[in-house]
Amino acid sequence: MRVRYDLEADLLMIALRDVPPVDALEEPRGIIISYGEDGDPVSVEFLNASARGLIKPYELQVILQCDEHNGYGS
């Protein structure tokens, strides 16, 4: 998974998989979900990310947490 923020466009993008998108759906409030050929999500984009309070461009802090048991599978 990759997370990217474009300051100029105020766009927060979360790439879930490294496959090319073949289709996208834009939600009414500026959220774009891209899908791969298999129909599963590839990425999620948030337009106007800082205005929504999702990110503070000049106060970026990244916290990566990986739990051994994430609730999926056994």
Side-chain angles (χ1 to χ4, degrees):
M1 181 181 345
R2 290 184 329 246
V3 177
R4 182 174 59 107
Y5 177 68
D6 183 327
L7 180 63
E8 225 174 89
D10 194 18
L11 172 74
L12 178 64
M13 193 269 287
I14 302 170
L16 305 169
R17 304 185 297 148
D18 288 327
V19 297
V22 296
D23 194 14
L25 174 66
E26 183 171 356
E27 299 291 330
R29 296 189 53 188
I31 300 171
I32 302 169
I33 304 169
S34 297
Y35 296 91
E37 196 171 285
D38 58 3
D40 287 335
V42 171
S43 65
V44 181
E45 298 177 45
F46 298 90
L47 307 178
N48 304 310
S50 66
R52 294 168 176 261
L54 298 175
I55 196 164
K56 295 178 182 177
Y58 299 103
E59 298 177 21
L60 286 180
Q61 178 181 4
V62 176
I63 299 171
L64 178 61
Q65 179 177 345
C66 183
D67 297 330
E68 185 176 322
H69 178 70
N70 61 12
Y72 298 102
S74 55

